[in-house]
Amino acid sequence: MPQPTLQELIRRRRQGAFVGRERELELFARNLDGTPTDPTHRFLFHVHGVGGVGKSTLVREWERLAAGRGALTAYVDDSAHSVPEVMAVIAEQFARQGRPLKALEKRLEAHRRRVHEALAVGGAEADGGQGAAEGASAVSSAVVRAGLVGVGMVPGVGAFAPVVDGERLARGADRFAASLSARFRDQEDVRLVLDPVRALSPVLLTELGRVAEEVPWTALFFDTYENTAPFLDGWLRDLTTTDRYGAAPGNLVLTLAGRHRPDRVLWGGQAELVAHLPLEPLTEDESRRLLAARGVEDASAQRAVWEGSAGLPVLVSALADHPGDTLLAGATAVDRFLGRALPPREREAALACALPRTLDEDVCAAATGEDDDPAALFAALTALPFVSGHEGAPRYHDLVRAPMLHLRRTTAPTRWRAAHLRLAALHEQRYEELGGTDESDAADPARLHARLEAAYHRLCAQPAATLPQLLAQGPRAARLGAAFARRWARTLADAGRDNGDEATRRWGTECLAVLDEDDGPAGRARLAGLLVDRPGADEAARVEALHARAALHCEAREYAEALADHDRLDALRPGDWRTAVERGVAHRRAGNYVQALSHLDEAEARLAAAPDPGDDPAPAARIAREQGETRRHLGLFDQALDLLGRALALAPGDPSALVSRAAAHLSLGRHHEAVADLDHALARRPDHLWALLKRARAHDSLGDRRAAFADLDRAADLTMDSAAVIGERGEIHRRAGEYAEALAAFDAAVAADPDYLWAYGSRALAHHALGDFTAAVADLRHALARRPDYLWARLRLAEFRHEQGDCDAEFAEYDEAVTATTGRLARPYVLRGRAHAEHGRFARARADGEEALRIEPEDERVRELVAQWSARASRGDAAPQPPSPRRGEASWGHGGTSAGP
């Protein structure tokens, strides 16, 4: 019989010393002793508690318990940084248990291979003249869209690399998708690069279903979940509670263990299927039993350990060998963890190896500065009771590591800096040896890990020099989403916690606090705001921070704040066309179309007057696209088509311009032309959500409901925002007169997103078609209560009042529409003028028409109406004008579709 390894002996001894947690052990065991069909069965266990409370130890004990009952198990911690990495960890551990997931392993290998090929494509483009920046941005954008990782980090700086600006990011994404479609004949290969979660998840479920038939249980354990939840939470929810990726085996049991309570939005509706277990510190009795199992029998010593450890199992275990004194800070605490009898050389090595956040043999050698038998040192360190994560990324427990870092930094600052610089150099060397481009970090977890660790160590060694560079990248991280912003802030916070630099600590604390309060667009705008006026920021950093904050304000519908940032940008860089464009877009999103056009025209003039505009057609293409989109919103569809055509001549195949032009075609009833543009857009960018939703509408208008619903099915696979897709299904039913089905869909849409005001508007139309004016008015009133400037809802409400014969209420709504838009839109004046004409009030109608012409002097339709009303007013004619088909004007405001801005 082979001799057990040292690691196996250590694990057996630890398992034998496990005490306490009887309730948690019994609950988990009882769950496995039943059947999946038992009404009391729980498919998910969510363990949460403070650091050091014993979550990882309990999870490992549960894993041992499950394996003892014949379960197939896998343990995943935060050494995995993406969903594909998690799948790879599961496949590797299942294979070690004799249950390989061969089909998944094959697809994972194909994913890795195709990603590297794709990155090679990006690298080649980046070497090709004009396309240099575009190639780099393409790779970066596509990987961002695939959800693999975030912004690149500059080795040795710890900052998110300013590889491309936002404008190039958007263009590059489209070029990259197109280049992949051209390179890979099989669209499944394209999906493996752009959307690996969607491509791989069905394969994982199929393989899990296959092996599940051979074992009583399949148990997956996700530890340190506070770090992996940002990319795992939604995926695991969909994997287990929806049919998005297929059917999950009934004997699958998940365990999530982290510091935070479960997300109520994601898991709140699964109360009967999920066991929530808040883990508390050990009681004094449990602490005594644990110490007795470790050979500490003296009652006074047991009491001292319990008081000094606060019942945290990690400290109880670490102090078990030295229970006679109380736990003190600094060197005394370190002595508690390491033991005062430890030889000086071993003690020095243990202290040095507290500096890295994760351990391996090379890291241990770099931390100590010695190459003597790093394998033995690594084995000895990982046997310590406060080192966790033995499979993957071993690390010191935070409660143990903190006093060691403090001791080393305060008593040996020279060695502190030298060790961090050696560790930074090691990770920078690894980064270079892994090859690839800056953007390939996104697809290569090893490269990204090396870059992040190098950044952390540089900031610990040289905070004054490195901090400004890291802070300069914060606005970019904020703009790229909550997960990216948190990753940037966590890097800053970890270094601030460990390096003793007050400025770093303060910045890390403030940035994480902002994101903890709100990591949506408004919260991330506040994060960017922290960095706008930070001391030491140069003009370029301040400009980028203001651009980021303005964009996030717009996303959060905080338009006044966005415009204020644009004012500051104009003061910093007068004549910058980019600021004028963004100001115009902000006005359009706020409904200020006249101001939007004015600023977009100004952007065009600024670009023409630029001293060195260069040969890049992208700025002119963007301006033309935004001008066309704004005229589309105004209902000036012919003008919109001309401008969007110009944009596409400058930037052929631009999906955003194609989708906008398709929307204009739809409003003009040119459904075949719309489909052609949308087909082109989706060929360039297969994951364009709004293109799919608009094409579904076009197919429905052409009578092809099968194609329409197929597009909606694809859209549902692409987005977590199910409300938009459900709402569009409801709109198809409503247009077909299937009002019961439409109402059910709109009900589901507003249940999925209570702020989805478009669905309230469409539901009002369905209620109206069924003759339920009360319900229709209630929906419109609800939408207006949430958004008083929702012009479409206001004018539709006026039409409902007209149909009911309530003249006073009708004109009250028109007056509210004019007031809500502060006289900046022609449409309310035109419709109120028509209403006056229908009541024989031609002088008032003419006055409204003249106001509309003041705003839109080129609108010939309004000019004709004003001429008619003027003539009848001059004759003193009081005969009512026949009612006009006002309800047919669905090409503005509500837009007739949920898709698009």
Side-chain angles (χ1 to χ4, degrees):
M1 177 179 292
Q3 292 292 320
T5 66
L6 176 61
Q7 289 84 353
E8 289 171 344
L9 291 172
I10 292 170
R11 280 195 291 269
R12 291 178 190 176
R13 184 170 298 179
R14 286 178 174 170
Q15 290 166 3
F18 185 88
V19 300
R21 308 301 188 198
E22 285 84 0
R23 184 182 73 87
E24 290 82 4
L25 290 172
E26 180 185 0
L27 178 64
F28 193 78
R30 189 168 64 245
N31 200 62
L32 296 184
D33 289 339
T35 65
T37 57
D38 189 324
T40 64
H41 176 73
R42 297 292 183 266
F43 84 93
L44 187 144
F45 288 79
H46 201 299
V47 181
H48 55 93
V50 299
V53 79
K55 299 183 296 294
S56 297
T57 305
L58 177 63
V59 166
R60 284 301 196 181
E61 191 66 13
W62 278 359
E63 184 186 18
R64 185 188 66 81
L65 188 152
R69 284 166 167 73
L72 189 61
T73 69
Y75 172 89
V76 181
D77 61 14
D78 59 358
S79 60
H81 301 290
S82 68
V83 172
E85 280 190 73
V86 167
M87 294 185 191
V89 170
I90 293 171
E92 178 187 356
Q93 294 184 28
F94 278 17
R96 290 206 300 262
Q97 297 168 66
R99 309 284 183 181
L101 308 180
K102 293 184 178 179
L104 178 62
E105 291 173 357
K106 182 178 179 181
R107 293 305 287 163
L108 284 168
E109 176 57 32
H111 162 66
R112 288 188 286 266
R113 185 171 63 253
R114 290 307 191 191
V115 165
H116 283 294
E117 291 177 18
L119 293 173
V121 172
E125 291 179 3
D127 290 336
Q130 178 183 348
E134 300 295 351
S137 66
V139 176
S140 178
S141 301
V143 178
V144 165
R145 197 165 59 248
L148 295 177
V149 290
V151 199
M153 301 292 290
V154 178
V157 175
F160 283 93
V163 178
V164 291
D165 60 27
E167 184 66 19
R168 290 179 175 176
L169 195 73
R171 298 198 309 272
D174 303 325
R175 292 190 179 186
F176 185 55
S179 69
L180 292 185
S181 296
R183 182 179 180 85
F184 301 146
R185 295 181 180 178
D186 189 346
Q187 286 301 305
E188 283 301 309
D189 288 335
V190 177
R191 186 181 298 178
L192 275 176
V193 176
L194 295 182
D195 195 356
V197 174
R198 182 183 173 200
L200 295 170
S201 296
V203 183
L204 170 67
L205 285 181
T206 300
E207 288 287 78
L208 287 179
R210 178 180 58 79
V211 297
E213 296 178 356
E214 305 168 1
V215 293
W217 297 101
T218 303
L220 305 180
F221 300 88
F222 297 90
D223 202 1
T224 57
Y225 198 64
E226 67 273 12
N227 295 329
T228 56
F231 65 85
L232 282 184
D233 226 16
W235 176 66
L236 288 176
R237 191 277 309 270
D238 286 346
L239 204 69
T240 55
T241 66
T242 75
D243 296 327
R244 181 183 294 269
Y245 303 120
N251 63 352
L252 177 65
V253 177
L254 304 182
T255 295
L256 315 179
R259 297 189 178 187
H260 309 309
R261 297 182 62 83
D263 187 313
R264 292 182 179 180
V265 175
L266 288 175
W267 301 107
Q270 316 294 331
E272 74 284 2
L273 302 175
V274 179
H276 298 297
L277 299 175
L279 213 56
E280 303 295 337
L282 296 177
T283 64
E284 183 174 2
D285 178 65
E286 289 172 330
S287 177
R288 289 180 184 276
R289 288 160 49 202
L290 176 57
L291 289 168
R294 297 288 299 275
V296 179
E297 303 286 353
D298 182 74
S300 61
Q302 291 177 345
R303 175 73 181 181
V305 169
W306 183 72
E307 291 178 346
S309 65
L312 295 177
V314 67
L315 297 185
V316 174
S317 296
L319 297 176
D321 293 333
H322 303 276
D325 301 322
T326 59
L327 181 66
L328 301 176
T332 305
V334 172
D335 287 338
R336 295 299 186 200
F337 300 132
L338 298 180
R340 290 176 177 170
L342 192 69
R345 189 162 183 250
E346 284 79 355
R347 184 178 188 275
E348 169 63 23
L351 279 171
C353 289
L355 271 61
R357 296 191 290 182
T358 58
L359 299 171
D360 60 39
E361 292 181 10
D362 294 335
V363 166
C364 289
T368 60
E370 299 180 4
D371 294 326
D372 295 342
D373 202 356
L377 173 59
F378 179 67
L381 287 172
T382 54
L384 294 171
F386 49 78
V387 176
S388 61
H390 300 280
E391 292 184 15
R395 67 187 66 195
Y396 284 31
H397 194 284
D398 288 344
L399 291 173
V400 177
R401 182 171 175 256
M404 294 185 181
L405 292 175
H406 178 78
L407 179 66
R408 177 49 57 103
R409 178 171 50 78
T410 55
T411 63
T414 300
R415 281 183 288 174
W416 164 273
R417 284 191 296 271
H420 276 298
L421 291 173
R422 287 196 302 271
L423 288 162
L426 169 66
H427 289 295
E428 289 161 6
Q429 179 184 351
R430 287 178 170 180
Y431 177 84
E432 295 300 327
E433 289 174 350
L434 287 167
T437 64
D438 287 345
E439 287 69 47
S440 63
D441 298 348
D444 189 336
R447 278 176 59 88
L448 180 64
H449 175 76
R451 221 165 183 179
L452 288 168
E453 294 308 300
Y456 166 82
H457 289 297
R458 289 286 178 190
L459 192 51
C460 284
Q462 300 166 327
T466 309
L467 178 61
Q469 300 173 58
L470 180 61
L471 293 176
Q473 309 311 315
R476 182 181 301 277
R479 191 169 183 177
L480 289 174
F484 294 2
R486 283 190 175 278
R487 191 157 192 170
W488 170 84
R490 189 176 298 114
T491 300
L492 176 63
D494 283 356
R497 177 195 63 204
D498 299 338
N499 67 7
D501 180 67
E502 175 60 24
T504 308
R505 185 202 63 77
R506 184 178 67 254
W507 275 109
T509 300
E510 290 181 5
C511 291
L512 276 182
V514 168
L515 293 173
D516 286 342
E517 181 179 347
D518 178 12
D519 61 5
R524 287 182 278 120
R526 288 194 292 276
L527 175 62
L530 289 178
L531 303 162
V532 167
D533 294 313
R534 62 181 177 85
D538 59 19
E539 179 183 297
R542 187 165 288 114
V543 164
E544 289 308 310
L546 283 167
H547 276 298
R549 187 170 68 175
L552 289 163
H553 278 316
C554 270
E555 192 175 343
R557 300 179 59 83
E558 298 169 341
Y559 301 118
E561 292 84 349
L563 293 172
D565 279 341
H566 294 139
D567 289 341
R568 291 189 60 181
L569 283 164
D570 271 334
L572 281 171
R573 292 195 174 173
D576 186 353
W577 70 268
R578 179 182 169 194
T579 300
V581 167
E582 292 178 0
R583 189 195 295 273
V585 172
H587 274 296
R588 184 181 71 222
R589 294 185 65 174
N592 306 330
Y593 299 113
V594 175
Q595 292 93 324
L597 288 176
S598 174
H599 289 297
L600 291 170
D601 290 345
E602 181 186 359
E604 188 174 23
R606 286 183 177 187
L607 181 63
D612 183 18
D615 299 327
D616 186 1
R622 183 187 178 190
I623 293 170
R625 186 186 73 213
E626 300 297 355
Q627 289 173 325
E629 178 68 1
T630 304
R631 282 171 170 77
R632 182 182 75 82
H633 279 262
L634 281 167
L636 305 174
F637 303 117
D638 291 332
Q639 295 179 31
L641 289 174
D642 288 342
L643 287 161
L644 292 167
R646 184 195 308 170
L648 286 165
L650 292 166
D654 174 21
S656 296
L658 286 166
V659 172
S660 184
R661 189 170 71 176
H665 283 312
L666 281 173
S667 295
L668 291 170
R670 301 171 182 172
H671 303 115
H672 290 289
E673 292 89 337
V675 169
D677 273 347
L678 294 167
D679 287 345
H680 191 184
L682 287 164
R684 298 294 300 267
R685 186 172 160 189
D687 63 344
H688 199 303
L689 174 66
W690 301 116
L692 286 167
L693 294 179
K694 288 182 184 295
R695 193 172 69 176
R697 171 56 58 83
H699 281 313
D700 180 59
S701 297
L702 291 169
D704 191 347
R705 295 188 73 181
R706 177 178 296 180
F709 284 123
D711 276 344
L712 294 180
D713 289 341
R714 285 185 59 193
D717 288 337
L718 288 174
T719 180
M720 296 292 291
D721 180 15
S722 60
V725 180
I726 297 170
E728 192 62 26
R729 289 183 190 276
E731 187 66 8
I732 289 176
H733 286 303
R734 187 189 69 79
R735 284 161 49 91
E738 299 164 351
Y739 299 117
E741 293 86 346
L743 287 175
F746 294 137
D747 288 346
V750 299
D753 182 1
D755 293 327
Y756 190 27
L757 301 186
W758 181 91
Y760 285 98
S762 285
R763 190 169 69 177
L765 297 182
H767 282 307
H768 174 268
L770 291 171
D772 190 346
F773 276 88
T774 301
V777 169
D779 273 342
L780 293 176
R781 286 289 183 206
H782 177 87
L784 287 165
R786 302 294 292 272
R787 183 182 164 188
D789 63 346
Y790 190 1
L791 183 60
W792 179 92
R794 180 73 64 188
L795 296 177
R796 188 65 81 194
L797 190 55
E799 293 169 3
F800 287 177
R801 296 305 191 192
H802 173 76
E803 292 177 19
Q804 292 176 304
D806 191 340
C807 179
D808 291 339
E810 175 189 4
F811 280 101
E813 296 299 344
Y814 284 130
D815 293 345
E816 285 289 336
V818 170
T819 301
T821 56
T822 61
R824 65 180 184 268
L825 289 183
R827 184 68 58 181
Y829 287 109
V830 172
L831 293 183
R832 189 172 67 178
R834 283 179 171 176
H836 280 307
E838 289 172 12
H839 289 277
R841 304 167 182 170
F842 292 106
R844 295 185 183 182
R846 178 181 59 192
D848 277 340
E850 289 172 348
E851 284 296 315
L853 282 176
R854 176 185 59 80
I855 298 168
E856 295 291 344
E858 299 176 1
D859 194 326
E860 292 300 325
R861 294 173 299 175
V862 176
R863 192 172 298 281
E864 291 174 5
L865 286 174
V866 171
Q868 295 174 17
W869 296 337
S870 296
R872 298 191 68 171
S874 298
R875 295 196 304 265
D877 191 345
Q881 181 173 294
S884 57
R886 282 174 284 157
R887 292 207 58 216
E889 303 218 5
S891 61
W892 52 272
H894 193 57
T897 176
S898 62

